[in-house]
Amino acid sequence: MRSRTDSEVRELLRTSAAGLLERLPQLADELVKRGRDSDEAYRMTVPYEDHWKSTHEGLRIGITAILQPRHERRDVAYAQTVGRRRAEFGLPLDSLMRSYRLAAQVTWNGVIDIIGDQGQERLPALLRSATHVWHAIDRQAVAAADAYRRRENELLGRTNQRVNAMLDALLEGRADPAVAGVAAGALGLPEHGRYAVVTTRLPAQPDRVHRPDEIGGLRFLWRMRPDLEMAVVYLGDRELDDLVAAITPVVCASAGVSPVVESLADLGTARRLAEVAMRTCSGSAPEVARLDRRLPAALVVCQPELAGHLAGGVLGPILASPDGGVLLATLEAWLRCEGSAARAAAELYCHRNTVFNRVRRIEQLTGRSLARPLDVVELSLALDAVRLLPGGW
């Protein structure tokens, strides 16, 4: 009995397939119309001609597969092609899956129309054939969804690579105005606007660092290098003070902040200046340096040979003195406290008279007076050179 029913099912499917193929253009028209009427995404992303052609071909291949041995069927392979194309068009995956459910309805309704008037005796075979039809279309839908996801991941990866490549070109100063314009669209940023660049040294264990895309209401676009990280920051109407306040709690090492630049094309300059600012940081504690507030130190790190001569010529006698470390610390505190002996003494944990005595000793050894502005400039720059150059204090 089972063998007879199976034979009837196969015969019914062959009859249905032949009838459906004769009505193929009408079935494609119905399926496309119902799909586009019920799903705005199809209307917005897939051109009508492409939609109709792919639907017609998909129905033809799927119906023909009913008449073919499994190894000759092309319905699954074609479904994979459709899935990839719909991902390229940007059609949502839900819309693609809905189209396969609709195709199952249209196809099965066509089978009913062809077989339904042939008598009640064919009802068992008709019911069993439903399983074959719906299973075949479900198999196609699964294949289309898998291909869609793979293609979507490929496209997303290429998009991210393209965006990162454009961002790298901007930061390295290799982008001409045309590239800057394209990058603005890809990054979702204005080509002309207020930007700054942040650079920060990587901590000892960089894998533990997570850089959010938004900090303090400011958007950050991060790029990693072997020894540092860089971020393009769109300021809008915010100021550098806001940027420094936002990143200070999250930096784990030295960081440099560039001056404000007025377009994406200027990011290469901003990146170089941010790196200079970062180089003015000394010590291992986290520190954020704004270039516009570290210009003397920036001059020192940009001219290390001259800075070395300056350090030796001005502070050489102190460096050679047995108490050179104490004197340099006193000079740094004196300059930072703007010549206030009381404040310097509080920082150094000593009596103010001790500070005066050390200041006189500094003046004797260097031949400079801390009361003369030009001498103060030389001493300050020389102190920065000693602090920032390799082998310094």
Side-chain angles (χ1 to χ4, degrees):
M1 183 67 178
R2 177 66 177 271
S3 176
R4 177 183 175 185
T5 303
D6 289 343
S7 177
E8 290 176 349
V9 169
R10 287 193 292 272
E11 177 59 29
L12 184 148
L13 289 173
R14 283 194 291 270
T15 301
S16 300
L20 291 172
L21 288 173
E22 291 178 359
R23 301 172 53 193
L24 194 56
Q26 293 86 348
L27 291 175
D29 286 340
E30 179 184 356
L31 185 51
V32 169
K33 183 178 187 307
R34 291 178 61 180
R36 297 181 81 84
D37 286 349
S38 63
D39 194 334
E40 183 181 9
Y42 257 104
R43 298 196 302 272
M44 297 294 294
T45 61
V46 182
Y48 179 88
E49 183 178 358
D50 184 277
H51 191 181
W52 194 92
K53 285 184 177 179
S54 62
T55 299
H56 184 275
E57 184 68 2
L59 285 170
R60 186 187 67 79
I61 291 174
I63 294 168
T64 303
I66 296 175
L67 310 175
Q68 295 175 322
R70 181 177 293 273
H71 68 277
E72 295 181 7
R73 296 177 181 175
R74 297 196 301 115
D75 54 331
V76 171
Y78 187 75
Q80 293 170 335
T81 300
V82 171
R84 288 191 292 269
R85 283 183 59 80
R86 295 299 175 255
E88 292 167 358
F89 276 118
L91 181 76
L93 180 58
D94 286 346
S95 295
L96 178 62
M97 293 297 95
R98 195 178 301 115
S99 73
Y100 275 95
R101 291 193 294 271
L102 190 57
Q105 295 173 18
V106 170
T107 303
W108 181 242
N109 287 340
V111 173
I112 296 287
D113 291 342
I114 294 169
I115 303 299
D117 59 354
Q118 296 186 13
Q120 295 293 324
E121 69 278 0
R122 306 202 69 176
L123 183 59
L126 180 63
L127 293 176
R128 287 182 62 105
S129 68
T131 302
H132 292 271
V133 172
W134 286 83
H135 177 69
I137 295 178
D138 183 64
R139 186 172 63 247
Q140 296 167 24
V142 170
D146 289 343
Y148 178 102
R149 293 188 184 96
R150 288 194 297 270
R151 184 56 175 159
E152 184 181 47
N153 289 335
E154 291 174 0
L155 294 172
L156 181 61
R158 291 180 184 179
T159 299
N160 289 339
Q161 291 174 1
R162 180 170 175 264
V163 168
N164 288 337
M166 287 189 290
L167 191 57
D168 288 342
L170 292 169
L171 286 167
E172 293 166 12
R174 296 185 285 105
D176 57 30
V179 172
V182 174
L187 298 171
L189 292 170
E191 181 179 357
H192 299 284
R194 299 177 68 252
Y195 292 93
V197 171
V198 175
T199 60
T200 178
R201 293 192 180 99
L202 293 176
Q205 298 180 344
D207 57 322
R208 297 170 57 188
V209 177
H210 171 68
R211 299 300 188 197
D213 295 332
E214 183 174 314
I215 308 174
L218 294 167
R219 183 181 174 190
F220 286 70
L221 286 79
W222 292 94
R223 295 295 293 142
M224 182 175 284
R225 294 293 183 269
D227 56 345
L228 58 85
E229 281 183 300
M230 301 178 289
V232 174
V233 186
Y234 176 55
L235 294 172
D237 59 357
R238 307 283 291 278
E239 301 298 333
L240 287 180
D241 286 340
D242 300 315
L243 173 56
V244 172
I247 66 173
T248 297
V250 301
V251 296
C252 303
S254 302
V257 177
S258 76
V260 176
V261 294
E262 300 298 331
S263 73
L264 290 175
D266 298 324
L267 290 180
T269 298
R271 187 266 307 168
R272 291 191 294 273
L273 295 178
E275 289 184 5
V276 171
M278 184 177 65
R279 289 165 55 197
T280 68
C281 299
S282 62
S284 58
E287 182 181 359
V288 179
R290 280 177 52 168
L291 183 73
D292 59 349
R293 296 181 180 174
R294 297 282 184 94
L295 291 175
L299 290 173
V300 167
V301 298
C302 288
Q303 294 291 335
E305 184 176 358
L306 289 177
H309 287 295
L310 177 65
V314 175
L315 296 178
I318 292 180
L319 296 172
S321 173
D323 56 349
V326 172
L327 294 178
L328 289 175
T330 301
L331 176 59
E332 184 178 35
W334 178 271
L335 294 172
R336 186 168 53 250
C337 295
E338 300 175 336
S340 170
R343 288 164 54 194
E347 284 195 11
L348 296 169
Y349 301 102
C350 65
H351 195 275
R352 62 192 301 271
N353 288 339
T354 301
V355 172
F356 283 127
N357 290 334
R358 292 176 183 174
V359 167
R360 283 194 293 271
R361 175 74 171 153
I362 291 169
E363 292 178 329
Q364 290 171 355
L365 288 172
T366 62
R368 270 81 174 174
S369 170
L370 285 167
R372 286 196 296 267
L374 288 178
D375 288 356
V376 171
V377 170
E378 280 193 349
L379 287 165
S380 177
L381 290 174
L383 185 64
D384 279 336
V386 172
R387 179 173 60 88
L388 296 172
L389 296 181
W393 170 38

